[in-house]
Amino acid sequence: MAKLPDITPEIVAEHGLSEDEYKVILKRLGREPNLNELGIFSVMWSEHCSYKSSRRHLGKFLTTGDRVIQGPGENAGVIDIDDGDCIIFKMESHNHPSYIEPYQGAATGVGGIMRDVFTMGARPIALMNALRFGEPTHPKTKTLVNGVVAGIGGYGNCVGVPTVGGETNFHKGYNGNILVNAMCVGLARTDNVFYSAAKGVGNPIFYVGSKTGRDGIHGATMASAEFDDDSDEKRPTVQVGDPFTEKLLIEACLELMATDAIIAIQDMGAAGLTSSSIEMADKGGVGIELNLDDVPQREEGMTPYEMMLSESQERMLMVIQPGKEQLAFDVFEKWELDVAKIGVTTDTGNLVLNHKGKVVCDIPISPLADDAPNYDRPHVKSEPRPVLVAEDIHETQDYNDALVKIIQSPDIASKRWIWEQYDRHVMSDTIDSSQSGGDAAIIRIHGTNKAVAITTDCTPRYVQADPYEGGKQCVAETWRNLSCVGADPIAITDCLNFGNPERPEIMGQFVGAIDGMNEACRAFDYPVVSGNVSLYNETNGEAIPPTPAVGGVGLIPNLDFFKTLKGAKDGDTLILIGETTGWLGASLYLAEILSREDGAPPPVDLQKEKANGDYIRKLIRNKRVNAVHDCSDGGLAIAACEMAFASNIGVSLQAAPDGPTHGWLFGEEQARYLVSVEKNSVNPVVSTALAKGLFAQVVGTVGGDRIQAAGAFDVTLAGLRQKHEEWLPNLLNGTDT
């Protein structure tokens, strides 16, 4: 075995450790680490694994609730949905790998988030995603879109889990750093949830799944650094996924979980065997000793450094009950997966690695985990933007043209080309998906008459304008989208995507967004149960727009009472719940019609959000509405168009009751819902709302084959739909739009 090199300042820097951090390592060890130990410290102290810039702020979140079984701190969050059933879910980023190698980066992001879920005993039942690409004209955008979408579809479709929804945005701020956030939802029984804390002394540690190769080495470190012009050189750090092996691994794990053989289980994600073994040991308060000679390897001559830092996919680590070893071997061999006993739990509190008869690592576990750096980064509050008054904003002279421009803008245009590449109905429990254009996907709990609703949301331009209000809005929009389908919102996961936290203005965005999100969560009793932080999303000093993506999950107790965007009927009346004042700051109207991105975003009144959402769910359960949609991007006009597209019937909006027409049609006030109701329900719906102190007004009718607004636009439904559908295919085919 070759002698390990001496540790030099250059080697320390190459591992992403600062001089001060290295001094702490020397103090904790009382000696100089060898290269293996340095590599382990480097990945465990990376931003991606240690959350060293974010931990103290994440601790502000509401994380408990009546339905919360497991909050943050495990592989995924767990919530109770009655009848002994629970939902296990999480969202996570795979941003840097997807920019470098879009297909494999996105595919392994899907595989990784599924492992986080099924490692806790759940069968994955649905996938979601939140994607952000650069401006459509950027030379890399088409390649990145094609690769990412193919990777998501290729992996999810092969594993046999439906991809049921998500969101896709385009903006110049993501030219150098795209975002690929994946969410997985799984179903388990409350009495059969598995955790990662290793227990006992002398218990066998099993490695299962695929063999270890050299792919993904230092992936966690790479994900904790900025990009520059040489980022393509980091391609070797991107892992390679195999969805067919993942499918076998799911089935094998679930089969063994049906026995009493497993004490603890952890997937090998970022930092691979290093993070999985250390996290298991730390949570259980034990030590771990591994014999690396026994690790299944697909490449010859792998060093301890390579084996510990590899991020090869489709691998799990387990602590097995003594006496159940043969059972574990039998199950995994039946599914034709690699399986090996590679170590034992100990009472030393150390991670000890043996290789070819020598101890190649012996370091305490606590400094690697809970005792990792925890920084209070300097941060400055974002400067507030001025409130823009609709009367002071240029009003278009051609509303037909304005409507077309917004309906085919990158944020609003149909993403059919994307979702058609995803299998949305495998497993046969998908009630509603991205196919309808609705507010949330709906997945039946198999064999029952209840369902879960799922949504992912973020409006980065709001967060950019005001991180605090934008953070509130991200949570509030998931609340609205779940309410739109009749689901009781239960809990959220998140994926917090920001730039370099060492820059006070970026850290200020992060802190502001978290504070806003937390206020919304507490107002709604809507806890955060899992999530992920992705920092250093910038290239050559240019940070992405702050993007705290939120995944919301709610329960539909009875599928006799739910709604979708479809269902508006000829002769229905359109009612708007929630007040319109004509807020155009940070709006799509401002961006798409006037090429401006200024102004304060719409404020989020959390009391109104809760009251209006509660009322909408009551209307659905009283069967008072035929279709429901929240008013968000593009305001009332776009909400009405999307309802018309989904129901395949025209709409006619009334003239603005007061104030400028562009504010009435395209203003983006929050806490608003557009509902389609039969004539005999109009008075009860409006009068009950007013009696509750809510704002409600009739704004139009349903019928015909045109989309109209009095004194503004008048276009055919078919013609506008064509504009809505053609933008993305034209972009990817190189056709002018």
Side-chain angles (χ1 to χ4, degrees), residues 637-660:
I638 298 305
C641 290
E642 290 172 340
M643 186 175 285
F645 294 155
S647 301
N648 199 30
I649 190 168
V651 297
S652 181
L653 296 174
Q654 296 177 358
D658 50 48

Side-chain angles (χ1 to χ4, degrees), residues 2 48 54 57 95-96 164 221 309 440 470 493 517 557 596 598 662 703:
H48 194 78
S54 59
H57 298 288
N95 302 333
H96 287 58
V164 294
T221 307
L309 271 60
T493 183
M517 292 171 64
R596 293 169 56 182
D598 57 324
H662 60 329

Side-chain angles (χ1 to χ4, degrees), residues 255-413:
E255 181 173 329
L256 191 61
M257 287 169 169
T259 73
D260 61 352
I262 299 174
I263 295 174
I265 180 169
Q266 176 77 34
D267 81 296
M268 295 191 212
L273 187 54
T274 291
S275 64
S276 56
S277 57
I278 289 168
E279 288 172 9
M280 292 177 79
D282 181 64
K283 289 174 183 175
V286 300
I288 281 185
E289 183 169 351
L290 303 178
N291 184 358
L292 298 183
D293 299 330
D294 296 330
V295 172
Q297 301 160 56
R298 71 167 183 262
E299 300 185 51
E300 294 184 1
M302 292 193 70
T303 65
Y305 183 97
E306 291 171 328
M307 281 186 272
M308 292 303 294
L309 271 60
S310 167
E311 294 185 7
S312 296
Q313 298 291 285
E314 293 85 40
R315 302 180 301 158
M316 310 286 278
L317 201 65
M318 299 179 178
V319 180
I320 299 295
Q321 292 280 6
K324 302 290 183 178
E325 294 95 334
Q326 192 57 50
L327 175 60
F329 277 115
D330 291 344
V331 168
F332 287 99
E333 287 171 355
K334 166 190 166 182
W335 289 98
E336 299 182 345
L337 295 164
D338 281 284
V339 53
K341 179 188 171 186
I342 66 168
V344 294
T345 57
T346 70
D347 60 0
T348 65
N350 280 18
L351 174 69
V352 178
L353 305 178
N354 300 293
H355 185 242
K356 298 190 181 301
K358 294 184 177 179
V359 176
V360 295
C361 169
D362 188 349
I363 50 179
I365 284 168
S366 59
L368 296 165
D370 281 348
D371 198 25
N374 186 357
Y375 296 132
D376 187 6
R377 301 280 193 195
H379 59 275
V380 295
K381 188 176 180 180
S382 300
E383 286 293 324
R385 292 186 184 178
V387 173
L388 302 182
V389 180
E391 287 84 352
D392 296 336
I393 296 171
H394 174 75
E395 183 174 355
T396 181
Q397 299 305 301
D398 188 341
Y399 275 95
N400 280 7
D401 180 66
L403 183 65
V404 168
K405 284 181 177 175
I406 295 175
I407 209 72
Q408 64 177 8
S409 66
D411 283 0
I412 299 296

Side-chain angles (χ1 to χ4, degrees), residues 147-221:
V148 166
V149 172
I152 292 171
Y155 204 100
N157 295 352
C158 289
V159 174
V161 179
T163 300
V164 294
E167 55 178 351
T168 304
N169 296 138
F170 297 81
H171 188 273
K172 64 184 179 182
Y174 304 104
N175 282 350
N177 283 84
I178 66 172
L179 302 184
V180 176
N181 298 170
M183 178 177 173
C184 181
V185 175
L187 176 66
R189 298 294 290 174
T190 57
D191 60 357
N192 202 42
V193 176
F194 288 79
Y195 298 95
S196 58
K199 299 289 178 65
V201 175
N203 291 332
I205 297 172
F206 271 50
Y207 171 121
V208 303
S210 292
K211 289 181 170 66
T212 294
R214 291 187 170 94
D215 51 322
I217 293 173
H218 272 300
T221 307

Side-chain angles (χ1 to χ4, degrees), residues 342-541:
I342 66 168
V344 294
T345 57
T346 70
D347 60 0
T348 65
N350 280 18
L351 174 69
V352 178
L353 305 178
N354 300 293
H355 185 242
K356 298 190 181 301
K358 294 184 177 179
V359 176
V360 295
C361 169
D362 188 349
I363 50 179
I365 284 168
S366 59
L368 296 165
D370 281 348
D371 198 25
N374 186 357
Y375 296 132
D376 187 6
R377 301 280 193 195
H379 59 275
V380 295
K381 188 176 180 180
S382 300
E383 286 293 324
R385 292 186 184 178
V387 173
L388 302 182
V389 180
E391 287 84 352
D392 296 336
I393 296 171
H394 174 75
E395 183 174 355
T396 181
Q397 299 305 301
D398 188 341
Y399 275 95
N400 280 7
D401 180 66
L403 183 65
V404 168
K405 284 181 177 175
I406 295 175
I407 209 72
Q408 64 177 8
S409 66
D411 283 0
I412 299 296
S414 169
K415 306 305 185 298
R416 177 187 295 272
W417 182 90
I418 293 175
W419 54 253
E420 281 188 338
Q421 299 187 50
Y422 305 149
D423 190 332
R424 304 172 304 283
H425 297 286
V426 64
M427 302 179 77
S428 302
D429 283 313
T430 303
I431 303 295
D432 200 36
S433 70
S434 48
Q435 185 169 348
S436 76
D439 295 280
I442 302 172
I443 307 297
R444 184 196 309 271
I445 302 303
H446 192 73
T448 75
N449 196 42
K450 64 184 180 184
V452 289
I454 317 162
T455 183
T456 57
D457 297 289
C458 180
T459 310
R461 65 181 185 276
Y462 292 171
V463 190
Q464 183 87 61
D466 185 332
Y468 178 73
E469 286 297 327
K472 286 163 63 178
Q473 194 273 342
C474 294
V475 175
E477 188 161 357
T478 69
W479 172 272
R480 286 200 302 273
N481 285 337
L482 296 174
S483 296
C484 280
V485 300
D488 296 319
I490 296 177
I492 68 170
T493 183
D494 58 47
C495 194
L496 308 177
N497 308 273
F498 291 79
N500 185 344
E502 298 169 52
R503 295 165 58 190
E505 70 276 15
I506 299 296
M507 197 64 204
Q509 291 176 341
F510 183 83
V511 174
I514 280 186
D515 288 345
M517 292 171 64
N518 183 46
E519 185 174 339
C521 289
R522 292 180 183 277
F524 302 150
D525 193 18
Y526 190 37
V528 181
V529 297
S530 61
N532 170 240
V533 177
S534 176
L535 302 177
Y536 296 94
N537 289 289
E538 54 184 78
T539 298
N540 295 325

Side-chain angles (χ1 to χ4, degrees), residues 13-294:
E14 286 172 3
H15 282 75
L17 293 163
S18 70
E19 290 183 19
D20 287 341
E21 287 172 340
Y22 186 63
K23 289 177 181 176
V24 174
I25 291 172
L26 294 177
K27 185 177 180 180
R28 300 280 171 84
L29 292 183
R31 60 176 174 82
E32 194 172 76
N34 63 37
L35 186 64
N36 299 322
E37 295 166 338
L38 184 72
I40 287 169
F41 268 103
S42 78
V43 293
M44 292 306 298
W45 284 16
S46 69
E47 195 71 58
H48 194 78
C49 291
S50 73
Y51 291 63
K52 58 189 176 186
S53 298
S54 59
R55 280 209 318 274
R56 64 181 58 235
H57 298 288
L58 298 176
K60 303 172 185 176
F61 278 140
L62 172 70
T63 59
T64 58
D66 291 343
R67 289 186 176 271
V68 176
I69 295 172
Q70 174 65 52
E74 271 292 339
N75 288 289
V78 187
I79 56 173
D80 191 334
I81 60 165
D82 300 329
D83 311 310
D85 296 320
C86 62
I87 290 294
I88 299 179
F89 67 106
K90 187 182 181 183
M91 180 187 282
E92 202 161 52
S93 65
H94 229 222
N95 302 333
H96 287 58
S98 299
Y99 183 75
I100 294 171
E101 176 47 65
Y103 184 95
Q104 290 296 348
T108 52
V110 173
I113 196 63
M114 279 198 287
R115 286 194 298 280
D116 279 339
V117 166
F118 76 75
T119 192
M120 296 192 69
R123 178 173 293 281
I125 60 172
L127 294 165
M128 301 277 283
N129 53 69
L131 312 177
R132 323 282 171 179
F133 298 102
E135 57 192 335
T137 56
H138 191 273
K140 286 190 175 182
T141 294
K142 293 178 187 178
T143 299
L144 291 168
V145 172
N146 276 296
V148 166
V149 172
I152 292 171
Y155 204 100
N157 295 352
C158 289
V159 174
V161 179
T163 300
V164 294
E167 55 178 351
T168 304
N169 296 138
F170 297 81
H171 188 273
K172 64 184 179 182
Y174 304 104
N175 282 350
N177 283 84
I178 66 172
L179 302 184
V180 176
N181 298 170
M183 178 177 173
C184 181
V185 175
L187 176 66
R189 298 294 290 174
T190 57
D191 60 357
N192 202 42
V193 176
F194 288 79
Y195 298 95
S196 58
K199 299 289 178 65
V201 175
N203 291 332
I205 297 172
F206 271 50
Y207 171 121
V208 303
S210 292
K211 289 181 170 66
T212 294
R214 291 187 170 94
D215 51 322
I217 293 173
H218 272 300
T221 307
M222 183 262 295
S224 307
E226 300 177 30
F227 280 159
D228 54 33
D229 293 332
D230 299 321
S231 293
D232 283 348
E233 296 176 3
K234 297 175 181 177
R235 210 173 280 271
T237 62
V238 179
Q239 314 93 322
V240 178
D242 180 354
F244 300 104
T245 299
E246 180 102 340
K247 174 63 174 173
L248 297 177
L249 189 58
I250 292 172
E251 300 303 332
C253 286
L254 292 177
E255 181 173 329
L256 191 61
M257 287 169 169
T259 73
D260 61 352
I262 299 174
I263 295 174
I265 180 169
Q266 176 77 34
D267 81 296
M268 295 191 212
L273 187 54
T274 291
S275 64
S276 56
S277 57
I278 289 168
E279 288 172 9
M280 292 177 79
D282 181 64
K283 289 174 183 175
V286 300
I288 281 185
E289 183 169 351
L290 303 178
N291 184 358
L292 298 183
D293 299 330
D294 296 330

